[in-house]
Amino acid sequence: MNWLESTQLRNWQFTADQLRRMRENNHQRSLDALQQARARSSSAASLETMDSQASGASAAPAPEPLALEEELALLKYYGSRLQHVSRELRLPRRVLGTALAYLQRAYLAFSCMEQDPQQLLLTCLYLACKIEEHYISAAELGRLTGVPADLILRTELVALQGLKFDLIVHSPYKALEGFFEDIKEAAAEAGSSEAAAAAAGLDPGMAALDELQLGKARAVAYSATDALLLSDAPLLHAPGRLALAALRSGFNKLGIKLQKYLERVARRSSGSADWQAGLAQLQAALSELDRLGAEGARSVEQEEMAAIDRKLKACRAALGGVGKEAAAAKAKAKAEKAARKAAKAAEQRSAAEASLGILPAAPAAGAAEAAAAAADGAAPGAQQPPTKRQRQGEV
């Protein structure tokens, strides 16, 4: 898959200002919906308030909406839960990267108050398993996580709509492995010569690393990638830059500063003519990614999450109540329309029968009486002729 021609670059890469505006619009839409919920329930609540005042009780307060920062904290928390579930199920990292991308992208289409991320969490994982060819059925995923399978399937269409049915994800994990392979190949070509390693674009000490040291650098780099995926980094930067920032963190752990290798990457991506300008842009992006990685690595306190979750449930209940009222009103209107249609059809049928001279059907009792009379050979209500025995008695 070519990154420059990908839908991810075209549809899912934004500036920080664009992200902020999209989230503010979603948040404002939820605030408007909550305000409408209060307005619709005010007439019914006024009667309850009068009764409660007469009895000395106080009316229930309106739910407090989530702040935009609280929504972002909520998404970060459930992203970390998604990482935990993936590790518990021992899923490939490509599945985890895709699932986290789905969770982030979906909440650019709606807010947490409109769709609870706790319900959408496993749906994103379920979709990622399918698209990354590591299929797990909804029933099996539900059994492994203790969540009803119908809940996973119920929100699948919601998630797909939020994702605009665009499911291809370029993962930084794959790019990270590519960088490690590139370093190993360059080190093998350079051999033990530091001059050859420097000419190949390797920093001092990189060519002499053994598998154990590379394994330590890889583990740190993967952890740095995990932290970046809990931030806005995937929506702001290309996956290759995320991988390079994580790679730099891994080698920093070994005491190796990536300078020459960044020049190697800049020369390859920018060309020989303007590679220095490309290097300056790359270094600026890596500095921003270091900040985003530190932000993603900060954990959210459980007490804070519990308070936010209570507010979320109150908001969801208020919006759900409006949805139930609207559904009831819609069902009532539909029933009334069906009744009017049936009445009109009956009226038209009666008019048509009258024009053809068709009399209304006799009542059931009258029909039974007529049938019995016909069986006796006489019309209903007619006097029966005397029998022979009766005639002989009369003589």
Side-chain angles (χ1 to χ4, degrees), residues 301-359:
E301 297 295 332
Q302 289 288 340
E303 294 182 1
E304 179 186 356
M305 286 311 308
I308 294 174
D309 191 59
R310 285 193 295 270
K311 291 174 64 175
L312 175 65
K313 283 181 169 52
C315 294
R316 295 279 300 148
L319 293 175
V322 173
K324 291 178 182 178
E325 292 174 3
K330 185 177 180 180
K332 182 179 179 182
K334 185 177 181 181
E336 291 176 350
K337 182 178 179 181
R340 290 194 299 269
K341 185 176 180 180
K344 185 176 181 181
E347 183 180 350
Q348 291 174 346
R349 185 169 60 251
S350 298
E353 290 175 349
S355 65
L356 294 174
I358 301 175
L359 297 178

Side-chain angles (χ1 to χ4, degrees), residues 94-222:
R94 69 179 188 276
V95 174
L96 171 60
T98 299
L100 285 171
Y102 288 169
L103 190 67
Q104 281 189 330
R105 295 177 184 183
Y107 282 93
L108 295 179
F110 37 71
S111 76
C112 294
M113 289 182 282
E114 292 172 320
Q115 295 293 334
D116 190 346
Q118 185 177 7
Q119 297 180 359
L120 218 58
L121 177 74
L122 291 180
T123 304
C124 290
L125 186 59
Y126 172 64
L127 289 173
C129 287
K130 288 200 289 186
I131 200 66
E132 295 295 342
E133 298 181 352
H134 190 83
Y135 180 69
I136 299 177
S137 67
E140 180 66 9
L141 185 58
R143 185 187 67 79
L144 293 172
T145 57
V147 174
D150 63 334
L151 180 61
I152 299 173
L153 296 174
R154 193 189 316 153
T155 54
E156 184 176 9
L157 182 58
V158 174
L160 288 171
Q161 290 171 338
L163 296 170
K164 303 175 186 176
F165 295 88
D166 184 5
L167 303 179
I168 301 300
V169 175
H170 290 253
S171 171
Y173 293 116
K174 184 176 181 180
L176 183 60
E177 279 301 319
F179 281 129
F180 274 107
E181 289 299 320
D182 180 55
I183 290 171
K184 290 175 67 175
E185 291 175 3
E189 292 176 2
S192 58
S193 172
E194 286 292 335
L202 297 181
D203 292 278
M206 290 181 69
L209 294 175
D210 57 25
E211 286 297 329
L212 180 60
Q213 291 171 313
L214 283 175
K216 290 180 180 178
R218 181 180 280 105
V220 174
Y222 274 125

